[in-house]
Amino acid sequence: MRSFSLPLPTLLSGFVAVLVGYASSAAIIWQAAVAAGASTTQIAGWMTTLGIAMGVSTLLLTLWYRAPVLTAWSTPGAALLVTGLQGLTLPEAIGVFIIANALIVLCGVTGLFARLMQVIPHSLAAAMLAGILLRFGLEAFARLGDQFLLCGGMLLAWLVMKRIAPRYAVIAALIAGAVIALFEGDIVTSSFAMTPVLPTFIAPQFSLAHALGIAVPLFLVTMASQNAPGVATMKAAGYDVPVSPLIIVTGLLALLFSPFGVYSICIAAITAAICQSPDAHPDAAKRWLAAAAAGMFYLLAGIFGSSITGMMAALPTSGIQMLAGLALLGTISGSLYQALNHENERDAAVVTFLVTASGLTLWGVGSAFWGLIAGGICYTVLRLARRA
């Protein structure tokens, strides 16, 4: 039986991957849970279950394939839920999670993942994502007027670190925000606790309007903006792992834990690249150790999910909005670039972007779905016109 040492850089790579993932998007998940009407205790339970689910899936896939397979929650999916869950009850939100995760499992079992990505033009999927995320960027910079010291300080810390060490820019903004809020006396510590919080089971309620308006866009965003880049990142790093089993395992775990607040578990891209780089281990065959370390740190983060939730609740709302906006800047700019990169698809992509960003709701179905429909109609009509 072979034994593997765990060098400090490998261990740190796993730790940094988890830290970056939590620091860059925990605030967005907190906002999504609040939108669904979850209490601080319930949100802590959600964070506990998410951490455990990501830890189990990362360890299971990494140890099975001896490859650095890192899983994550869907940050764009959480961003969609911030607006999509407004006005829903918690049981209705759980119903949305179950439908979206069931569709992901179906994609993995049937092998429809690659074919589905071919049916939906990538430019339209990117435009829909950009429209969903637009409000986060707008909210972040809109708070500069009334919270200039806090938001401006976070922006400055992010900018300086972006120049020096881009990987830690969001973490620097989080630290700067916490220090400034503490200096101004805006930190609320009454909800901060280190004791583990057990997740609670919530019976789901299902609705066709919510399925079409929220669950289907959540499914599409997770597949197109998380699973597809995650698989591409892994292949680019030289790890040819079968795709369908990855989708099935992550989808089944998310489906199993959906009643406890797990809205998605998917293949990581940005944080996975940390564990797949030569910095994690000079030997590519041993970089799976960094992902395994990340899986253990995920489990620890899950056990202490209440402290992460308490930290988010302790920060002022403007600080959380700025942190979320800065964390999503790269995704917003990348989505806009992909949406507008092809001249022949640009008009359809702009229609998708504007309809999605408008917040349009028809028959109880949200704007993300209608943006994709409107853009798809434009794309088809203009393509037929060019052929004629």
Side-chain angles (χ1 to χ4, degrees), residues 1-2 4 6 55-70 241 246 285-296 299:
M1 181 177 179
R2 293 184 299 175
F4 294 96
L6 190 61
V56 169
S57 56
T58 294
L59 286 171
L60 181 64
L61 293 171
T62 294
L63 295 176
W64 180 262
Y65 289 108
R66 285 295 195 270
V69 183
L70 199 69
V241 179
L246 303 183
K286 295 183 179 180
R287 290 174 194 160
W288 64 269
L289 292 168
M296 297 303 298
L299 292 177

Side-chain angles (χ1 to χ4, degrees), residues 60-111:
L60 181 64
L61 293 171
T62 294
L63 295 176
W64 180 262
Y65 289 108
R66 285 295 195 270
V69 183
L70 199 69
T71 64
W73 51 46
S74 172
T75 300
L80 181 149
L81 293 175
V82 172
T83 53
L85 297 183
Q86 294 284 350
L88 269 67
T89 63
L90 278 176
E92 289 171 336
I94 297 300
V96 167
F97 300 167
I98 289 175
I99 293 173
N101 289 324
L103 289 173
I104 292 174
V105 173
L106 183 63
C107 258
V109 171
T110 60

Side-chain angles (χ1 to χ4, degrees), residues 243-312:
V243 175
S244 290
L246 303 183
I247 304 302
I248 293 172
V249 170
T250 54
L252 278 176
L253 274 172
L255 184 60
L256 177 65
F257 289 117
S258 288
F260 300 95
V262 174
Y263 68 96
S264 79
I265 297 294
C266 48
I267 308 302
I270 297 173
T271 51
I274 298 173
C275 296
Q276 294 163 1
S277 71
D279 292 336
H281 201 290
D283 186 356
K286 295 183 179 180
R287 290 174 194 160
W288 64 269
L289 292 168
M296 297 303 298
F297 285 120
Y298 268 144
L299 292 177
L300 288 174
I303 292 172
F304 295 103
S306 59
S307 61
I308 295 173
T309 306
M311 181 182 68
M312 292 300 142

Side-chain angles (χ1 to χ4, degrees), residues 172-190:
L174 173 61
I175 294 172
V179 171
I180 295 172
L182 184 63
F183 175 77
E184 293 186 321
D186 290 337
I187 295 289
V188 180
T189 58
S190 58

Side-chain angles (χ1 to χ4, degrees), residues 153-250:
M154 294 177 69
L155 178 60
L156 180 62
W158 175 86
L159 185 60
V160 171
M161 193 57 69
K162 194 74 174 176
R163 177 67 179 85
I164 300 172
R167 182 183 296 175
Y168 308 105
V170 174
I171 298 174
L174 173 61
I175 294 172
V179 171
I180 295 172
L182 184 63
F183 175 77
E184 293 186 321
D186 290 337
I187 295 289
V188 180
T189 58
S190 58
S191 58
F192 189 82
M194 289 294 291
T195 55
V197 174
L198 293 177
T200 55
F201 178 87
I202 301 174
Q205 289 183 4
F206 300 99
S207 162
L208 179 60
H210 297 154
L212 291 176
I214 309 172
V216 171
L218 174 60
F219 156 70
L220 292 174
V221 163
T222 300
M223 296 301 285
S225 302
Q226 288 284 162
N227 280 330
V231 172
T233 300
M234 194 158 44
K235 289 185 179 296
Y239 300 99
D240 191 15
V241 179
V243 175
S244 290
L246 303 183
I247 304 302
I248 293 172
V249 170
T250 54

Side-chain angles (χ1 to χ4, degrees), residues 123 126-127 335-343 345-347 349-350:
S123 59
S335 299
L336 286 173
Y337 175 80
Q338 294 171 34
L340 305 176
N341 193 34
H342 300 286
E343 185 177 354
E345 302 174 5
R346 194 169 294 163
D347 290 335
V350 169

